[in-house]
Amino acid sequence: MVVGLFGGSFNPPHQGHGLVAEIAIKRLGLDQLWWMVTPGNPLKDPSQLLPLAERVRLSEKLAKHPGIKVTAFEKKFGTTFTAETLARIKAGNPHVHFIWIMGADSLKTFHRWQRWQDIARMFPIAVIDRPGATLSFLSSKMAKTFDFARVDEDDSRALWKKPAPAWTFIHGPRSRLSSTAIRAQNGA
């Protein structure tokens, strides 16, 4: 089984997140996508977060594809950082082939995540295009560090077969929606 892991605050989730998930499922040939709603993000202000249960509920409402499973693994595991959570998922599912899914907008700060290089060495990564990130992704620290491990987009369906580190950048339809803009519009 090939499973995409798509983590984030989803504060709030929006159609742009849904588009990233559906592009990943289609282009990577995923059997499932686990939409991982995090209790918090150490790089973001926790006072701005909607309650976890609300973000899970909104994500479930948004995630229409039958292969998407909305989860709150970090809360269940009691982990704070993505690397810890992914290590637990990997240990608990030794026969599953995982791909870490991220929007291209997250790539510019990926090097600030705790143990980001361990994440890149744990699972192949699929970076899905987002507005404003199409050209700048190549200048990210992750792209430069793991340039040797880049897989051509045309080969993205076989990404799960590649030993990590391996990553690809997938172009496709983009949504200009952002959680930050939605919160600002709603006065949060």
Side-chain angles (χ1 to χ4, degrees), residues 143-162:
K144 288 179 179 179
T145 302
F146 292 102
D147 181 56
F148 68 94
R150 185 168 177 204
V151 174
D152 190 272
E153 179 177 0
D154 291 340
D155 298 326
S156 61
R157 220 167 168 69
L159 184 64
W160 67 273
K161 297 177 185 178
K162 308 282 186 195

Side-chain angles (χ1 to χ4, degrees), residues 50-163:
L50 292 169
L52 178 62
E54 178 71 0
R55 290 181 285 127
V56 167
R57 184 187 70 75
L58 291 170
S59 294
E60 289 173 337
K61 186 177 174 184
L62 180 69
K64 302 290 186 204
H65 191 283
I68 296 175
K69 312 295 181 207
V70 177
T71 72
F73 285 135
E74 285 182 330
K75 176 73 171 173
K76 177 184 170 186
F77 295 153
T79 54
T80 304
F81 298 102
T82 301
E84 295 172 301
T85 304
L86 296 182
R88 292 279 302 267
I89 291 169
K90 184 176 185 172
N93 300 277
H95 302 295
V96 176
H97 299 280
F98 290 105
I99 299 173
W100 178 248
I101 311 295
M102 65 189 318
D105 50 333
S106 295
L107 203 55
K108 64 184 166 197
T109 59
F110 186 54
H111 68 280
R112 294 178 54 207
W113 296 18
Q114 186 185 67
R115 296 177 45 213
W116 68 276
Q117 292 188 16
D118 291 343
I119 295 169
R121 290 183 181 103
M122 195 176 311
F123 298 130
I125 298 174
V127 181
I128 312 296
D129 200 4
R130 291 279 293 144
T134 304
L135 298 176
S136 62
F137 82 93
L138 287 175
S139 64
S140 72
K141 188 167 184 172
M142 189 287 245
K144 288 179 179 179
T145 302
F146 292 102
D147 181 56
F148 68 94
R150 185 168 177 204
V151 174
D152 190 272
E153 179 177 0
D154 291 340
D155 298 326
S156 61
R157 220 167 168 69
L159 184 64
W160 67 273
K161 297 177 185 178
K162 308 282 186 195

Side-chain angles (χ1 to χ4, degrees), residues 3 9 18 20 32 66-67 70 80 84 92 114 118 133 153 164 167 169 177:
V3 175
S9 301
V20 166
Q32 292 183 4
V70 177
T80 304
E84 295 172 301
Q114 186 185 67
D118 291 343
E153 179 177 0
W167 68 281
F169 188 92
L177 292 173

Side-chain angles (χ1 to χ4, degrees), residues 169-181:
F169 188 92
I170 297 176
H171 296 84
R174 296 173 295 172
S175 170
R176 292 214 172 272
L177 292 173
S178 80
S179 296
T180 303

